[in-house]
Amino acid sequence: SQTIHQWPATLVQPVGSPLSLECTVEGTSNPNLYWYRQAAGRGLQLLFYSVGIGQISSEVPQNLSASRPQDRQFILSSKKLLLSDSGFYLCAWSYVIQDSYEQYFGPGTRLTVT
Amino acid sequence: QKEVEQDPGPLSVPEGAIVSLNCTYSNSAFQYFMWYRQYSRKGPELLMYTYSSGNKEDGRFTAQVDKSSKYISLFIRDSQPSDSATYLCAMSEWQGKLIFGQGTELSVKP
């Protein structure tokens, strides 16, 4: 079965500090990978998605970036955090199979920028 | 206008009630419709997935899609306190890019 991991689970960082969040998927190969952010009381906003190693598409202009150094690893980064970067960050994966569009989410990382 | 509209609630019902959760959307190209359940401080869990119009049933859960009205619903029968969570609708016109509703907070009282 497939499993998705995210770490850390919670993080408190000062404004201006760097960020690195990691996501890994087990039990599948060549998945599509996604980063979402969920602000308090709001829906999910897609930040980045990747269909393969080194292939990243950005949905929202911001001071965040994403990388996919390995097939099942997805990293979200920032060089300098802003207060507005606080939120719940979720990684998701989906099968690359025709007509399969379900996405499965990880446990999330709760980021507080102080 | 948002692409997907969902009443945020909160919605409070007694145990055993039938719950109806709904979303409307504006993009007629959406073909793939999903419902997620999210417990507090957890990642969303996929509940139901439907392609195009029609109904889908899984245990106490029924998902309905009416593309002509651009309206989707999730029904929960015999609701339980463990169903208390936020329910998110999501939809897509192509593989991968999901557009989410704001989520409806549901509370089932014993």
Side-chain angles (χ1 to χ4, degrees):
Chain A
S1 64
Q2 298 80 20
T3 309
I4 180 168
H5 302 279
Q6 286 186 248
W7 62 90
T10 60
L11 191 60
V12 180
Q13 293 282 93
V15 168
S17 64
L19 173 74
S20 181
L21 303 181
E22 189 165 342
C23 169
T24 59
V25 181
E26 296 178 353
T28 186
S29 57
N30 195 30
N32 284 350
L33 296 172
Y34 312 86
W35 278 111
Y36 290 87
R37 176 170 59 203
Q38 186 176 35
R42 301 178 69 176
L44 279 71
Q45 180 186 40
L46 178 64
L47 301 175
F48 301 95
Y49 69 93
S50 172
V51 298
I53 296 175
Q55 300 179 63
I56 310 293
S57 295
S58 173
E59 288 294 308
V60 181
Q62 60 217 327
N63 69 324
L64 298 172
S65 62
S67 61
R68 184 170 178 174
Q70 300 181 41
D71 180 44
R72 289 170 289 177
Q73 184 184 32
F74 206 21
I75 296 172
L76 183 69
S77 304
S78 174
K79 292 182 179 179
K80 289 186 178 182
L81 284 168
L82 306 173
L83 285 174
S84 58
D85 291 324
S86 293
F88 192 39
Y89 287 83
L90 290 154
C91 181
W93 73 275
S94 67
Y95 287 107
V96 184
I97 298 175
Q98 188 175 4
D99 294 337
S100 175
Y101 289 68
E102 303 103 298
Q103 288 187 21
Y104 301 91
F105 285 83
T109 294
R110 192 161 302 277
L111 171 67
T112 303
V113 182
T114 60
Chain B
Q1 182 188 8
K2 292 181 182 178
E3 279 192 283
V4 179
E5 299 275 1
Q6 184 176 9
D7 186 340
L11 179 63
S12 183
V13 301
E15 183 175 356
I18 297 174
V19 177
S20 174
L21 303 168
N22 311 293
C23 289
T24 59
Y25 62 94
S26 57
N27 186 349
S28 59
F30 286 146
Q31 300 186 76
Y32 307 91
F33 304 92
M34 286 153 239
W35 285 96
Y36 287 86
R37 177 174 63 194
Q38 186 176 23
Y39 293 113
S40 179
R41 308 183 75 84
K42 303 290 186 183
E45 170 194 2
L46 181 63
L47 275 180
M48 302 286 284
Y49 164 67
T50 309
Y51 171 71
S52 193
S53 288
N55 295 359
K56 186 172 184 179
E57 186 174 322
D58 184 2
R60 296 185 295 111
F61 298 91
T62 300
Q64 289 185 351
V65 176
D66 182 349
K67 291 191 72 179
S68 61
S69 300
K70 298 191 184 70
Y71 188 87
I72 69 170
S73 301
L74 177 71
F75 297 96
I76 307 174
R77 292 183 298 280
D78 187 25
S79 57
Q80 303 295 311
S82 58
D83 294 327
S84 298
T86 296
Y87 289 80
L88 297 153
C89 64
M91 47 200 79
S92 174
E93 61 178 288
W94 57 267
Q95 187 175 29
K97 185 174 180 179
L98 289 180
I99 307 298
F100 283 83
Q102 185 178 352
T104 299
E105 183 182 346
L106 172 66
S107 178
V108 181
K109 304 295 186 184

